Amino acid sequence: MPTSDLLYLSHADVENVSLDMATIIKLLEQAFMEKGNGRVEMPPKPGIHTMPDAFIHAMPAYIPSMKSAGIKWVSGYPENFKRGLPYINGLLILNDSETGVPYAVMDCAWVTAYRTGAASALAAKYLARPESASVGILACGVQGRTNLEALSCLFKIKKVYAYDVLPDVQAVYVRDMSKQLGLEVVGVKEPKLAVAQADLVVTSGPILKHPTPTIGKDWLQPGAFASAVDFDSYFTEAALAQMDRISTDDHAQFQYYRSAGYFQQTPDPYADLGELVAGKKPGRQSPTERTLAINLGLALDDMAVAPTIFRMAKEKGLGTPLAL
Ligand SMILES: NC(=O)c1ccc[n+]([C@@H]2O[C@H](COP(=O)([O-])OP(=O)(O)OC[C@H]3O[C@@H](n4cnc5c(N)ncnc54)[C@H](O)[C@@H]3O)[C@@H](O)[C@H]2O)c1
């Protein structure tokens, strides 16, 4: 029997590919166009739950036009920081779409971090005011970083207000992101100071089934856009009720999470990101609307990006070939 090799890409290998954020946003836009036109196979993700508020999810998707088929096996553990471990960990497998044979296994933390930021920016392209110039970041972790980077690809950002419950983490974020993006980034002492002054808001704290939400009514200004990367953990019912438009990335997965106990106070999204990109649902309709994107994170996002990572890694001679 003929055997084949697969390429193993460690976290460092994936990082060293240095795929740029602007390209990641374009790849996601292409994938969501396919989804909006019903040309993607992506069953809702099943998961196991070994600890409260923790998950390990299986996320398969097939995007025929991108010849991308595979699965991500990803965990999210809110208490991991106490052990010096990342919140998000996991592996991603790519399969040949004509034979089913796996041809790559890669660490998925980098792809998850970058594609989630890109999905926020893509939603903002349709739901934020184009002249948005200030950003509020609530939680200065991995997502706080990649979401800001992605937003700065599509918007001329002038000022960033950053908040984290841990002042040291916030201070390092302010230093790093000012330098990395050449933006004015200031730390704020309370979440309200980040939300009320921003055109674009990202919440990226822990996802909790029974959260104690912080963002109150009238904090988000008329005309502002928010991306809740951490589900509805940060928004009070009153703040959610004020939203003129709430989008998600997939209706079926949103309803699945609702049935699992999340989003009990959140109105049903009017559109998903595929419908927005494919022009099947309108985006923002006036400069005063408050808009909110709740991207749950889809296998589609990962499968939009991973084949390009693989191809570039091959070109750069990165990774370790393994016998299957
Ligand atoms: N929707 C998606 O597609 C998607 C994808 C990846 C991660 N996530 C979620 O994004 C969140 C962040 O992930 P990450 O990898 O950046 O984790 P991370 O551990 O790197 O960052 C989390 C940050 O939140 C801070 N924090 C905790 N509670 C806070 C609060 N109440 N207010 C402000 N800051 C607070 C922590 O100090 C930490 O800096 C997680 O909930 C994760 O599940 C969502």
Side-chain angles (χ1 to χ4, degrees), residues 1-33:
M1 281 242 296
T3 57
S4 50
D5 279 354
L6 58 78
L7 190 66
Y8 173 68
L9 298 172
S10 67
H11 185 95
D13 292 330
V14 175
E15 201 164 26
N16 287 334
V17 163
S18 305
L19 181 57
D20 64 289
M21 185 60 95
T23 304
I24 296 173
I25 296 171
K26 282 196 189 115
L27 287 167
L28 255 69
E29 190 156 27
Q30 217 180 315
F32 275 100
M33 176 67 88

Side-chain angles (χ1 to χ4, degrees), residues 45 53 55 59 72 74-78 80-81 85-88 112-113 115-117 119 137-147 163-167 169-170 191 203-208 212 214 228-231 233-234 249 294-298 301:
K45 46 191 166 193
D53 285 322
F55 64 81
M59 301 173 63
K72 184 168 83 167
V74 63
S75 62
Y77 278 64
N80 264 10
F81 71 95
L85 292 171
Y87 193 119
I88 298 288
T112 303
R115 61 69 148 160
T116 308
I137 298 285
L138 296 185
C140 299
V142 171
Q143 289 298 330
R145 287 165 186 257
T146 54
N147 273 262
Y163 172 79
D164 197 284
V165 272
L166 300 177
V169 170
Q170 180 180 303
T203 63
S204 50
I207 292 176
L208 305 172
T212 46
T214 315
V229 172
D230 48 5
F231 289 19
S233 300
Y234 235 113
D249 47 5
I294 304 177
N295 291 329
L296 307 164
L298 304 180
D301 308 346

Side-chain angles (χ1 to χ4, degrees), residues 75-324:
S75 62
Y77 278 64
E79 302 288 313
N80 264 10
F81 71 95
K82 293 180 184 161
R83 300 172 189 230
L85 292 171
Y87 193 119
I88 298 288
N89 295 282
L91 290 171
L92 184 154
I93 301 173
L94 288 172
N95 296 72
D96 186 299
S97 60
E98 288 175 21
T99 62
V101 175
Y103 63 90
V105 175
M106 66 180 79
D107 179 274
C108 75
W110 192 95
V111 171
T112 303
Y114 278 71
R115 61 69 148 160
T116 308
S120 290
L122 189 56
K125 181 174 168 181
Y126 294 88
L127 291 169
R129 281 179 296 121
E131 68 275 21
S132 296
S134 51
V135 182
I137 298 285
L138 296 185
C140 299
V142 171
Q143 289 298 330
R145 287 165 186 257
T146 54
N147 273 262
L148 180 58
E149 183 178 346
L151 288 171
S152 70
C153 284
L154 297 191
F155 297 87
K156 287 205 176 73
I157 306 300
K158 296 204 179 79
K159 191 145 184 181
V160 181
Y161 304 93
Y163 172 79
D164 197 284
V165 272
L166 300 177
D168 292 352
V169 170
Q170 180 180 303
V172 173
Y173 179 91
V174 167
R175 188 195 64 202
D176 290 355
M177 297 313 285
S178 315
K179 198 167 154 202
Q180 183 190 328
L181 300 175
L183 296 173
E184 186 186 355
V185 185
V186 295
V188 293
K189 287 206 162 63
E190 295 169 34
K192 189 171 185 179
L193 296 172
V195 176
Q197 304 188 72
D199 299 322
L200 308 166
V201 172
V202 177
T203 63
S204 50
I207 292 176
L208 305 172
K209 198 177 250 179
H210 303 292
T212 46
T214 315
I215 297 176
K217 187 165 182 268
D218 293 335
W219 287 25
L220 193 74
Q221 296 301 297
F225 160 86
S227 175
V229 172
D230 48 5
F231 289 19
D232 58 353
S233 300
Y234 235 113
F235 286 86
T236 60
E237 188 176 359
L240 290 166
Q242 258 188 330
M243 298 294 172
D244 295 292
R245 276 169 203 284
I246 298 179
S247 72
T248 185
D249 47 5
D250 185 70
H251 292 295
Q253 298 217 13
F254 185 89
Q255 294 307 333
Y256 162 75
Y257 277 120
R258 200 198 273 299
S259 70
Y262 297 93
F263 301 118
Q264 297 304 301
Q265 325 287 351
T266 310
D268 270 343
Y270 83 104
D272 77 21
L273 196 45
E275 292 168 328
L276 290 173
V277 172
K280 300 202 163 168
K281 293 274 172 71
R284 167 178 290 275
Q285 293 296 295
S286 98
T288 54
E289 286 183 343
R290 289 183 175 91
T291 56
L292 172 67
I294 304 177
N295 291 329
L296 307 164
L298 304 180
L300 172 81
D301 308 346
D302 303 302
M303 295 314 144
V305 178
T308 302
I309 297 273
F310 169 77
R311 186 177 45 74
M312 289 174 68
K314 288 277 274 190
E315 281 163 17
K316 292 186 171 195
L318 295 166
T320 310
L322 299 175
L324 194 58

